[in-house]
């Protein structure tokens, strides 16, 4: 870290119509908000200086996020509550920052640190039962692997590693709601929709995933304990 810089971490959401923004569009929108808020952001050195900011794992287009993260380096210390208030006033509601604090610059990057993601998916379709969907998910996970084709390429996921805890399925009047935990990493991350679609196909239903939200992204300690990146 350059002397005199402070690493400020912000938790924000991606909701409503703005869930259809790409990751790059989210980056640009929040960088504009940081500028409009008048925060004393640092810039990188080199031929093409730019704001010194880093984001957590990208969200797919169409997926909402309740607790996404960014780090921005400030050139002077500002009370976190005041800086957050300034940022909230100039940021669209559907990208609203809701928590912020300073972190050590020795801490790992967000991309490296955040390895656990918790999702909620809403599935709509008549005649599907939560017990049936849960059983299908359990069979798939117990089978060990899932092959997923994306953009012309096939990737095989080790489900015992990628899905570290049992999914939860609850019934709704128009379908079911599924809460699913996924492990992320440099080798790729299993999209929850892929696993859910495979389970729905297994039971022969025409139900479909209509909305997916990433509820949280977490750090995993060497002892296997999950926590937020404070």
């Amino acid at each position: 870290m350059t002397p005199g810089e402070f690493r400020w971490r912000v938790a924000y959401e991606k909701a409503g119509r703005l869930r259809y923004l790409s990751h790059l569009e989210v980056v640009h929108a929040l960088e504009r908000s940081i500028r409009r808020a008048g925060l004393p952001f640092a810039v990188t050195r080199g031929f093409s200086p730019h704001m010194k900011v880093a984001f957590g794992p990208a969200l797919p287009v169409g997926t909402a996020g309740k607790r996404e993260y960014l780090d921005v380096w400030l050139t002077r210390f500002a009370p976190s509550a005041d800086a957050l208030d300034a940022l909230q006033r100039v940021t669209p509601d559907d990208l609203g920052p809701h928590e912020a604090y300073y972190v050590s610059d020795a801490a790992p990057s967000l991309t490296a640190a955040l390895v656990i993601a918790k999702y909620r998916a809403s599935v709509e379709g008549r005649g599907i039962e939560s017990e049936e969907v849960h059983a299908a998910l359990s069979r798939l996970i117990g089978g060990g692997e899932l092959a997923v084709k994306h953009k012309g390429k096939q990737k095989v996921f080790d489900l015992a590693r990628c899905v570290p805890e049992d999914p939860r399925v609850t019934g709704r009047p128009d379908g079911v709601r599924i809460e699913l935990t996924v492990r992320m990493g440099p080798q790729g991350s299993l999209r929850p929709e892929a696993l859910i679609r495979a389970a729905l196909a297994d039971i022969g239903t025409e139900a479909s995933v209509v909305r997916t939200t990433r509820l949280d992204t977490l750090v995993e300690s060497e002892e296997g304990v999950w926590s937020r990146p404070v």
Side-chain angles (χ1 to χ4, degrees):
M1 179 178 69
T2 303
E5 290 183 0
F6 303 87
R7 185 179 177 184
W8 190 53
R9 178 162 293 170
V10 179
Y12 66 95
E13 70 173 352
K14 180 187 178 189
R17 291 183 298 172
L18 297 192
R19 72 184 185 276
Y20 294 107
L21 292 180
S22 69
H23 181 64
L24 186 58
E25 288 170 328
V26 170
V27 169
H28 289 164
L30 289 171
E31 286 181 345
R32 284 196 300 271
S33 292
I34 291 168
R35 291 188 174 93
R36 291 178 63 196
L39 299 180
F41 61 86
V43 296
T44 61
R45 297 181 177 183
F47 181 75
S48 179
H50 54 274
M51 183 183 297
K52 197 170 179 181
V53 62
F55 285 75
L59 274 174
V61 173
T63 300
K66 288 291 189 182
R67 197 175 183 86
E68 304 299 304
Y69 292 95
L70 68 86
D71 285 346
V72 59
W73 281 258
L74 305 180
T75 58
R76 67 174 185 271
F77 181 84
S80 193
D82 294 345
L84 178 60
D85 179 65
L87 189 59
Q88 287 173 329
R89 283 188 274 110
V90 298
T91 304
D93 289 342
D94 285 343
L95 282 179
H98 50 80
E99 188 175 337
Y101 40 83
Y102 287 96
V103 296
S104 168
D105 205 62
S109 70
L110 287 168
T111 301
L114 296 173
V115 297
I116 300 293
K118 289 185 170 291
Y119 289 92
R120 181 178 64 218
S122 295
V123 176
E124 289 187 359
R126 293 184 177 181
I128 56 172
E129 300 292 337
S130 57
E131 295 83 0
E132 186 180 29
V133 175
H134 185 271
L137 286 168
S138 297
R139 283 195 299 272
L140 277 173
I141 296 168
E145 292 183 344
L146 179 67
V148 177
K149 193 171 184 178
H150 181 63
K151 294 183 178 180
K153 297 182 180 180
Q154 182 168 286
K155 186 172 183 61
V156 178
F157 291 93
D158 175 2
L159 295 181
R161 181 187 179 283
C162 293
V163 187
E165 65 179 8
D166 190 40
R168 295 178 57 190
V169 185
T170 54
R172 303 179 65 194
D174 55 352
V176 297
R177 175 174 290 168
I178 301 170
E179 293 183 14
L180 187 65
T181 302
V182 174
R183 190 182 302 279
M184 304 181 290
Q187 72 285 346
S189 303
L190 174 66
R191 291 192 178 187
E193 297 93 340
L195 182 64
I196 294 169
R197 289 190 189 110
L200 296 176
D202 180 65
I203 59 178
T205 178
E206 295 183 359
S208 60
V209 181
V210 296
R211 187 168 51 259
T212 305
T213 301
R214 188 157 71 186
L215 302 174
D216 219 338
T217 48
L218 305 169
V219 175
E220 184 174 37
S221 71
E222 293 182 359
E223 295 77 26
V225 177
W226 300 342
S227 62
R228 287 176 173 166
V230 176

